[in-house]
Amino acid sequence: MPNALSVPTDLLTLTVDETGVATLALDAPDASVNKISWDTLNAFSDALDVVETHADLSGLVIASGKPDSFIVGADLAMLQTFEIPAEARRLSREAHALGERVRSLPVPTVAALHGPVMGGGLELALNCDYRVASTADATKMALPEVQLGLLPGGGGTQLLPRLVGVQQALRLMLTGKNTYPDKARRIGLVDALIHPPGLRHAARRAARELAAGTRTVERAEQSLGDRLLEGNPVSRRVIYRQARTRTERRTRGNYPAPPRIIDAVRTGMEEGLEAGLDTERQHFGELVFTPESQALVSIFFAKRDAETNPQPEQARPVDTVGVLGAGLMGSGIAQVSAQNGLDVVLTDQSLALAAEGKKAIWSAVTEQEDKGIINTFTRDQIVERVAPTADYAPLQAADVVIEAVPEDLSIKHAVLSEVETVVDADTVLASNTSALPISTIAEGVDDPSRVLGMHYFSPVPDIPLLEIVVTEETSDEALATAYAAGLAQDKTVIVVNDGPGFYTTRILALYMNEALLLFEAGAEIEAVDEAMMDAGFPMGPFELFDLVGLDVAAKITDVMGEALSPERVDISDRAGRLAEADLLGQKTNRGFYEYDADDDADDKDPQGVNDAVYRHRDASSRSTPPAGAIQDRLLLMMVNEAVRCLEDEVLRAPIDGDLGAVFGLGFPPFLGGPFRHADRAGAASIVDTLQRLADRHGPRFAPADRLQTHAAQDTTFHS
């Protein structure tokens, strides 16, 4: 039995086995995960005080007392309490000092890693001599600070390049992406892999053998080309320059963290560790107080809050999901359900079509296996959870049935009416429609209280948002159960009230309609798309038209045109006219852009503007406004309509509007969403710009009443 050493904290335990290997296990009480905070740093410091006084120790293992994770990063709530950059720099300095103490211990140190190992947790592990990770699918490592507008402040910008090389380290830090066990072992981020039950034992054995000299740290050497490129300051300049170029191309200069990450790495590699750590501290302190980071952190907290069902006691348990339609959307819904442990009944008009949907799921999860994200056993488990069928009878076991059939009201009525006769009386019936009013869809069933919208976004596995749409008749039980299903699918959930286009489709439709009006007035397609990508959108509106399909876009704009008063909107019929000319976008390889007919990807890369499309507009000449004017028209059209959705009570709260726009539509995350952007820019400034646009382009830009109220009272949407 290991002996416990006395440590003056309840955040961790310190035990020593019979061979003298100490195990420090962090286990924050009353918390589901461990985070880096002042208390955590102080607890580690107290534990190291004890370790440093025991000369008889032969090694130290740092582990987690939590069964499902190591350390998930910094406590962001702590960062929000800082009032000046010096406080953030002090946190970074304390983390650096703790890391230096770990590196200076006279005994081998080993990190035992299982589950998420994020941010400061990974930085702590980087200070150890050796890292052992479990092979569990849940184990993943990342320095994701860049996604919050920050850089790693616990030494990551200095330790990671020295461990895995400058190029690999910059890739990981500039994207914030996860690294899974097999790749982590391959690139030298971890030194050994072990099945989860044996992790602690393997880590202690590694410490003993490192101390005895019977185990050495062996990491794969870099390729000759990488060694030559990273071997001297002159060639490393190429790496920094390329990293800046790639980052600028991806971020369009909208995020302040990436160039500071590159600068911290460069300083450390060229001027030494201490200079690098000092640069990291300085940049960390500055970034905490940038508006971009504050917007990103606000979205992080909003997302976390949305991960709690507001009415859990009303929800039925969700074990089985039925999906009607095995096409792109249906198979995507089935995939995210099965990936997260739900059983799925996937139906279509024939067994062959349903089987094609299951095959698409198999292909998608096999790709994850190839990337080392999941193992073969997990892949097979996911696929086996999906039962394809052409018969509605198996849906009797479903707790929620989601129809993903074509946007035709008669079809939706027919399938839901038939399904209602098969399923239990309290099974939720959901529609994945993107525009049709849910109250109208509910007319096709006998019990409209069980009907709601579950609006997913394509591609379903990649877009985190689920927009649940409720009518006046939707029951609390149905809503709570649908919310539980969305959380089980690992979705960020917002709840909105029924209305034409709901929230996301409504604001997106008017944004894209404004792009069509620009096109009709003579604007160049590429110039508009470039302007909006410069503003922070992942793609421009015309590329998005081609991705969605101009026929689909035309149906949506028709719905919006019928629902909103002509005084409010100026709906273009251009998408419909282009669709009639068979310019549908990617599905016909011609739309606003041209596409490679041999490209079978779901999202094809444009091969250039389709110049023929210019013949389908009224403008006799091309005349493109400045980029700033394009951005004002499109971005503020979306912001203004979001506020109107709040006025119309389609939105229940501004934070739902921010989550929906950022996670569903690609609204620039660094702006924090339409309402956070309005607060940051100032309602008065936005009202002034909208009034100028209204004077020039018509009443569709008239500022929403609530915007004008906030402008007059100098108040904000978010407290």
Side-chain angles (χ1 to χ4, degrees):
M1 287 288 293
N3 298 314
L5 297 180
S6 177
V7 182
T9 177
D10 63 350
L11 287 176
L12 53 79
T13 58
L14 188 61
T15 57
V16 182
D17 69 12
E18 64 279 1
T19 68
V21 174
T23 298
L24 188 163
L26 179 65
D27 190 359
D30 304 320
S32 60
V33 294
N34 296 317
K35 299 178 184 178
I36 298 294
S37 65
W38 285 122
D39 288 342
T40 308
L41 295 179
N42 290 335
F44 267 107
S45 181
D46 290 341
L48 289 178
D49 288 342
V50 175
V51 170
E52 289 164 348
T53 61
H54 280 260
D56 55 339
L57 296 181
S58 59
L60 174 65
V61 171
I62 298 178
S64 171
K66 303 296 184 188
D68 301 319
S69 63
F70 183 67
I71 299 173
V72 298
D75 182 355
L76 294 179
M78 170 189 61
L79 297 186
Q80 290 192 312
T81 67
F82 295 161
E83 296 181 355
I84 55 175
E87 293 178 278
R89 288 196 292 270
R90 178 174 164 244
L91 176 70
S92 179
R93 185 178 297 108
E94 292 295 325
H96 290 166
L98 183 71
E100 200 278 330
R101 289 177 69 185
V102 172
R103 297 195 302 275
S104 299
L105 288 173
V107 296
T109 53
V110 179
L113 309 176
H114 171 70
V117 184
M118 299 287 144
L122 180 55
E123 289 175 293
L124 175 62
L126 291 174
N127 288 288
C128 294
D129 300 312
Y130 199 84
R131 283 156 293 282
V132 182
S134 85
T135 55
D137 289 335
T139 299
K140 53 188 176 183
M141 290 145 269
L143 292 175
E145 289 85 354
V146 70
Q147 298 173 359
L148 295 170
L150 302 170
L151 55 60
T157 65
Q158 306 307 304
L159 301 177
L160 189 62
R162 289 168 168 81
L163 180 66
V164 302
V166 174
Q167 296 173 90
Q168 188 69 253
L170 284 172
R171 277 193 289 270
L172 295 177
M173 287 187 287
L174 291 173
T175 64
K177 290 183 177 179
N178 294 329
T179 300
Y180 295 90
D182 284 342
K183 181 178 179 181
R185 175 71 179 87
R186 192 166 62 248
I187 67 175
L189 184 57
V190 301
D191 299 292
L193 300 177
I194 189 71
H195 60 288
L199 179 61
R200 290 275 191 101
H201 176 75
R204 288 194 297 268
R205 184 177 64 200
R208 286 194 298 271
E209 293 176 357
L210 287 168
T214 57
R215 179 185 300 222
T216 57
V217 179
E218 296 180 358
R219 298 186 179 114
E221 288 190 2
Q222 288 181 305
S223 68
L224 177 60
D226 285 346
R227 289 203 305 275
L228 291 174
L229 191 57
E230 298 191 12
N232 65 82
V234 176
S235 59
R236 283 198 295 268
R237 290 177 194 166
V238 176
I239 298 174
Y240 306 137
R241 185 168 60 248
Q242 289 176 340
R244 281 191 292 268
T245 299
R246 285 194 301 268
T247 301
E248 177 69 24
R249 188 164 55 242
R250 188 177 70 253
T251 67
R252 307 280 175 140
N254 289 314
Y255 295 84
R260 285 176 168 87
I261 291 173
I262 297 169
D263 182 57
V265 171
R266 184 201 61 77
T267 301
M269 296 302 296
E270 311 313 324
E271 300 177 28
L273 178 62
E274 287 307 315
L277 290 172
D278 183 62
T279 299
E280 179 182 280
R281 282 193 295 271
Q282 294 299 319
H283 288 335
F284 183 73
E286 295 162 2
L287 288 170
V288 167
F289 288 87
T290 60
E292 293 85 0
S293 177
Q294 291 174 348
L296 291 164
V297 169
S298 75
I299 282 290
F300 170 86
F301 279 113
K303 183 178 187 295
R304 187 191 66 180
D305 291 344
E307 291 168 355
T308 300
N309 193 335
Q311 296 178 298
E313 70 286 348
Q314 301 271 22
R316 274 189 74 189
V318 178
D319 300 310
T320 303
V321 172
V323 180
L324 309 179
L328 179 64
M329 293 300 295
S331 62
I333 296 167
Q335 179 183 330
V336 298
S337 301
Q339 280 185 168
N340 289 284
L342 298 175
D343 291 327
V344 180
V345 179
L346 181 59
T347 71
D348 212 310
Q349 292 174 307
S350 69
L351 182 58
L353 289 173
E356 280 297 311
K358 181 169 181 173
K359 181 180 178 182
I361 295 169
W362 184 89
S363 297
V365 295
T366 297
E367 186 175 335
Q368 293 179 23
E369 181 207 8
D370 292 342
K371 293 178 179 179
I373 298 172
I374 59 175
N375 58 40
T376 302
F377 178 71
T378 300
R379 180 203 65 185
D380 293 345
Q381 276 189 317
I382 292 169
V383 176
E384 285 308 307
R385 291 190 188 111
V386 180
T389 179
D391 186 1
Y392 284 163
L395 293 170
Q396 186 175 9
D399 305 297
V400 177
V401 174
I402 305 164
E403 65 84 359
V405 301
E407 291 284 84
D408 183 302
L409 189 59
S410 63
I411 297 176
K412 293 181 185 293
H413 278 168
V415 297
L416 289 177
S417 176
E418 191 169 350
V419 166
E420 188 181 27
T421 66
V422 173
V423 299
D424 289 345
D426 50 4
T427 297
V428 176
L429 301 180
S431 173
N432 179 50
T433 180
S434 59
L436 296 175
I438 301 302
S439 58
T440 305
I441 292 173
E443 292 172 359
V445 302
D446 291 334
D447 181 9
S449 71
R450 62 161 68 185
V451 179
L452 45 69
M454 292 180 72
H455 179 202
Y456 297 84
F457 298 77
S458 183
V460 178
D462 298 332
I463 308 298
L465 188 73
L466 169 61
E467 182 182 33
I468 295 180
V469 187
V470 296
T471 72
E472 292 181 353
E473 296 187 81
T474 302
S475 70
D476 290 344
E477 292 79 7
L479 170 57
T481 303
Y483 206 115
L487 294 181
Q489 294 167 334
D490 198 27
K491 290 297 181 182
T492 297
V493 181
I494 64 170
V495 179
V496 303
N497 294 322
D498 195 18
F502 325 129
Y503 168 63
T504 52
T505 301
R506 177 169 159 182
I507 67 169
L508 181 64
L510 295 191
Y511 162 86
M512 295 178 73
N513 180 71
E514 194 61 31
L516 287 178
L517 295 176
L518 274 166
F519 171 72
E520 290 175 358
E524 295 270 4
I525 292 165
E526 279 186 307
V528 173
D529 278 357
E530 282 293 317
M532 297 319 294
M533 287 190 289
D534 284 345
F537 284 84
M539 67 176 64
F542 295 113
E543 188 177 350
L544 183 57
F545 268 118
D546 284 355
L547 176 62
V548 171
L550 275 88
D551 52 341
V552 175
K555 290 180 182 178
I556 293 172
T557 52
D558 286 347
V559 170
M560 300 310 301
E562 293 171 3
L564 301 177
S565 67
E567 295 80 20
R568 276 268 332 276
V569 296
D570 180 9
I571 295 294
S572 168
D573 65 351
R574 192 64 52 179
R577 290 163 64 178
L578 292 171
E580 289 172 0
D582 203 33
L583 297 173
L584 302 184
Q586 292 189 15
K587 65 182 74 175
T588 58
N589 298 312
R590 289 194 314 153
F592 287 104
Y593 294 91
E594 294 183 336
Y595 300 87
D596 185 352
D598 296 327
D599 188 347
D600 294 328
D602 293 331
D603 183 3
K604 303 177 183 180
D605 292 324
Q607 301 300 303
V609 170
N610 175 19
D611 284 328
V613 81
Y614 286 115
R615 296 197 295 269
H616 293 269
R617 70 177 181 190
D618 297 333
S620 58
S621 61
R622 300 185 188 184
S623 176
T624 303
I630 294 170
Q631 292 164 355
D632 280 345
R633 283 179 65 171
L634 272 63
L635 186 68
L636 294 189
M637 175 60 72
M638 186 177 274
V639 170
N640 203 32
E641 196 60 30
V643 176
R644 287 202 171 107
C645 286
L646 187 64
E647 292 175 348
D648 295 344
E649 298 183 348
V650 169
L651 277 176
R652 298 182 169 193
I655 198 63
D656 294 329
D658 288 341
L659 284 171
V662 170
F663 290 113
L665 305 179
F667 189 94
F670 71 93
L671 297 180
F675 295 94
R676 184 72 61 181
H677 174 58
D679 289 348
R680 173 180 163 188
S685 174
I686 288 179
V687 165
D688 286 345
T689 303
L690 285 169
Q691 286 175 336
R692 288 197 300 272
L693 290 169
D695 291 342
R696 184 166 185 178
H697 302 291
R700 67 182 183 276
F701 284 105
D705 291 343
R706 193 167 297 194
L707 263 176
Q708 296 188 63
T709 299
H710 282 300
Q713 298 177 354
D714 193 23
T715 52
T716 59
F717 290 97
H718 295 284
S719 59

